[in-house]
């Protein structure tokens, strides 16, 4: 599109005007339209399959190489809305299901008939349970504020609904709920949902079972041998089981992951500058796997994959191939 824009900016009297427009007609426009139609067809295929995030990405790619960007942006936004609705439905159902499990135990620690109503054991257990619910409610409130700041009001709604379910008399919760409702896209539905029928399974990394006890030494060994993804999953299991020193292990692992990911990103950048796309994609893929929250890593990987896809598409085309008419 930059090449196309450069040609269109030339004045008719410019010395390169005729040659530039010949290049535009014979090379630039056919290449641009082939790439555009490729992305458009990919987007439509993913839309038909209801793979909304992939359709959204493909429409965004089509938008970048079309002379009708408004139409592609409209389609991209439509796919994004479908993706957000699906995500909202699933997460809202999951949170409601989880809260329901905890709420059903609210009276579990009331002393039964035959036991002193002020029985210390029951009262202590009841206090611990109530403290846990209060902490869960406070965390949900903080998360609701964070999601709202990050322009994700529907996820903020999930959190504030949970907060108010656990603390229905929360004035600050009701105030934040009103703010969230103001920012919710009117197209998103907050319908009553059933609890999920099946539990999602956590993907396993080879050599690690979610049911197998993990020791601190095993985690340290995985870190020493640079099996960082495996170490991260082992640490999660170790922390859930109340393992001692989990925070120190986490700090050690995070430092190693950050260093490793930074080195991989640097190697990928070097490969990219030297036009070694496959190597760049390999390094950046590993960096993203280690630190999926780093947007600069993810953006670099996306650009490299996009460039490779476009180059492969154009290399397969011959000058004699018909130019697609769609647009």
């Amino acid at each position: 599109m930059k090449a196309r824009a450069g040609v269109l900016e030339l004045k008719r009297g410019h010395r390169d005007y005729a040659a530039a427009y010949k290049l535009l007609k014979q090379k630039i426009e056919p290449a641009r339209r082939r790439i555009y139609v490729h992305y458009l067809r990919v987007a439509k295929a993913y839309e038909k399959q209801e793979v909304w995030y992939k359709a959204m990405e493909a429409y965004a790619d089509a938008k970048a190489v079309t002379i009708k960007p408004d139409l592609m942006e409209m389609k991209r936004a439509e796919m994004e809305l479908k993706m957000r609705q699906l995500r909202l439905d699933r997460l809202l159902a999951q949170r409601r299901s989880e809260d329901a499990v905890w709420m059903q135990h609210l009276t579990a620690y009331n002393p039964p008939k035959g036991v002193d109503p002020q029985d210390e054991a029951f009262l202590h257990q009841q206090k611990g349970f109530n403290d846990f619910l209060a902490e869960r409610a406070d965390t949900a409130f903080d998360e609701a504020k964070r999601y709202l700041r990050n322009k994700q009001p529907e996820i903020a709604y999930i959190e504030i609904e949970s907060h108010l379910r656990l603390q229905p008399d929360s004035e600050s919760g009701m105030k934040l709920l009103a703010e969230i409702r103001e920012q919710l896209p009117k197209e998103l539905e907050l319908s009553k949902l059933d609890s999920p029928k099946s539990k999602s399974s956590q993907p396993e990394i080879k050599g690690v079972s979610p049911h197998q006890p993990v020791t601190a030494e095993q985690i340290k060994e995985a870190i020493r041998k640079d099996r960082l993804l495996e170490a991260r999953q082992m640490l999660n299991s170790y922390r859930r089981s109340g393992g001692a020193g989990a925070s120190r292990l986490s700090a050690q692992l995070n430092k190693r992951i950050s260093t490793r990911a930074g080195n991989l990103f640097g190697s990928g950048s070097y490969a990219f500058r030297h036009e070694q796309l496959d190597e760049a994609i390999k390094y950046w893929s590993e960096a993203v796997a280690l630190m999926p929250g780093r947007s600069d890593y993810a953006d670099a990987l996306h650009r490299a994959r996009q460039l490779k896809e476009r180059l492969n598409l154009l290399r397969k085309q011959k000058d004699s191939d018909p130019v697609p008419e769609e647009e």
Side-chain angles (χ1 to χ4, degrees), residues 5-262:
V7 173
L8 296 178
E9 287 177 0
L10 291 178
K11 303 297 183 183
R12 183 173 291 274
H14 195 280
R15 63 182 182 181
D16 296 326
Y17 182 86
Y21 269 81
K22 182 179 179 180
L23 181 65
L24 176 68
K25 181 179 179 181
Q26 294 182 353
K27 296 289 185 180
I28 298 175
E29 270 299 277
R32 182 195 65 78
R33 289 170 64 185
R34 286 185 181 113
I35 293 173
Y36 165 72
V37 171
H38 165 74
Y39 285 134
L40 181 61
R41 290 172 180 170
V42 168
K44 288 181 177 179
Y46 279 126
E47 182 179 0
K48 186 176 181 179
Q49 298 168 24
E50 298 186 354
V51 184
W52 307 126
Y53 79 102
K54 286 288 188 181
M56 183 176 72
E57 292 174 357
Y59 278 122
D61 288 335
K63 173 187 173 182
V65 290
T66 184
I67 58 176
K68 300 177 181 178
D70 291 346
L71 179 60
M72 291 298 99
E73 172 56 25
M74 184 174 66
K75 290 296 296 182
R76 188 210 64 78
E78 179 186 339
M79 298 302 102
E80 181 183 16
L81 190 64
K82 289 179 181 293
M83 184 273 293
R84 290 172 69 179
Q85 183 69 64
L86 178 60
R87 182 173 59 191
L88 170 61
D89 291 346
R90 294 297 178 87
L91 289 178
L92 186 56
Q94 181 65 27
R95 178 58 66 87
R96 286 170 172 172
S97 176
E98 291 174 358
D99 284 348
V101 171
W102 292 110
M103 297 290 285
Q104 73 182 3
H105 297 300
L106 277 173
T107 60
Y109 298 106
N110 291 341
K113 181 181 178 180
V115 176
D116 185 346
Q118 299 301 315
D119 183 79
E120 188 275 336
F122 273 98
L123 292 180
H124 182 75
Q125 293 288 331
Q126 186 181 64
K127 180 182 182 301
F129 184 77
N130 289 337
D131 288 347
F132 171 81
L133 291 185
E135 182 179 354
R136 183 177 174 87
D138 291 344
T139 298
F141 183 84
D142 292 341
E143 285 294 281
K145 291 195 295 184
R146 185 179 69 84
Y147 279 117
L148 190 61
R149 288 196 303 269
N150 292 342
K151 310 299 182 184
Q152 293 179 288
E154 68 272 23
I155 313 301
Y157 176 85
I158 295 170
E159 297 290 348
I160 201 61
E161 184 189 88
S162 178
H163 170 77
L164 289 170
R165 187 178 296 113
L166 300 173
Q167 291 188 0
D169 58 345
S170 171
E171 293 183 5
S172 57
M174 292 300 297
K175 182 179 178 181
L176 184 56
L177 174 62
E179 294 179 29
I180 291 170
R181 286 190 177 279
E182 287 181 2
Q183 295 190 32
L184 272 173
K186 62 180 183 300
E187 297 88 354
L188 290 177
E189 298 180 3
L190 296 170
S191 56
K192 186 175 181 180
L193 301 172
D194 296 329
S195 298
K197 296 181 179 179
S198 61
K199 297 180 180 179
S200 59
S201 57
Q202 183 181 8
E204 290 187 30
I205 297 178
K206 186 177 181 181
V208 180
S209 167
H211 307 294
Q212 185 177 8
V214 176
T215 66
E217 191 54 44
Q218 287 176 312
I219 298 171
K220 293 176 183 177
E221 180 69 10
I223 294 174
R224 281 195 295 267
K225 294 185 176 180
D226 222 23
R227 303 197 311 267
L228 302 181
L229 291 176
E230 181 180 333
R232 183 158 61 193
Q233 183 171 332
M234 293 169 71
L235 178 60
N236 289 337
S237 178
Y238 184 73
R239 182 184 284 115
R240 286 195 299 271
S241 64
S247 296
R248 291 194 301 273
L249 284 172
S250 179
Q252 181 183 351
L253 176 59
N254 288 337
K255 182 178 180 180
R256 180 68 68 88
I257 285 177
S258 179
T259 300
R260 176 65 175 156

Side-chain angles (χ1 to χ4, degrees), residues 282-293:
K282 173 180 174 294
Y283 287 126
W284 285 343
S285 295
E286 293 180 28
V288 169
L290 288 171
M291 300 189 70

Side-chain angles (χ1 to χ4, degrees), residues 258-274:
S258 179
T259 300
R260 176 65 175 156
N263 290 339
L264 287 166
F265 184 74
S267 297
S269 300
Y270 178 86
F272 188 80
R273 289 194 299 270
H274 289 78

